[in-house]
Amino acid sequence: MSEIAELRDLQREYTENRNHCYVLIRKQGNDLNNCIPSASTIRACREREAQLRADADGWQKRIDAIQKKLDEAIGIDDD
């Protein structure tokens, strides 16, 4: 498998992981809207959301790094 194909596969996988974080955030928000949560539940959900957003940001950084490598491999310059 070529380097470009491997990078695209990684990019696809990382994009799926990032999107899954956002799916979990939405699901958690919907679950909270469908009940009357306690203060501790809300606090725990906010902490979980913050962690999921941090995870999503980490995946996005990986995606961006791979995109930069792909751009370099096919000869696209940012300049």
Side-chain angles (χ1 to χ4, degrees):
M1 185 181 274
S2 73
E3 179 184 1
I4 291 175
E6 289 177 18
L7 288 171
R8 285 189 176 145
D9 285 345
L10 266 179
Q11 188 177 38
R12 192 173 305 114
E13 177 186 338
Y14 292 169
T15 300
E16 289 172 5
N17 289 342
R18 181 205 58 204
N19 292 344
H20 184 67
C21 289
Y22 289 123
V23 166
L24 292 175
I25 290 169
R26 281 192 304 276
K27 181 183 180 319
Q28 178 176 279
N30 290 337
D31 290 346
L32 283 176
N33 290 333
N34 293 328
C35 69
I36 303 173
S38 67
S40 62
T41 300
I42 292 171
R43 190 176 319 109
C45 287
R46 286 183 181 156
E47 290 171 3
R48 173 88 171 122
E49 181 178 346
Q51 182 59 49
L52 287 168
R53 288 192 185 281
D55 291 348
D57 289 344
W59 289 116
Q60 185 61 50
K61 287 178 184 176
R62 290 178 182 99
I63 292 165
D64 293 343
I66 289 173
Q67 186 61 52
K68 184 175 179 180
K69 286 183 180 181
L70 283 169
D71 289 350
E72 290 171 358
I74 59 176
I76 296 177
D77 248 346
D78 287 342
D79 298 336

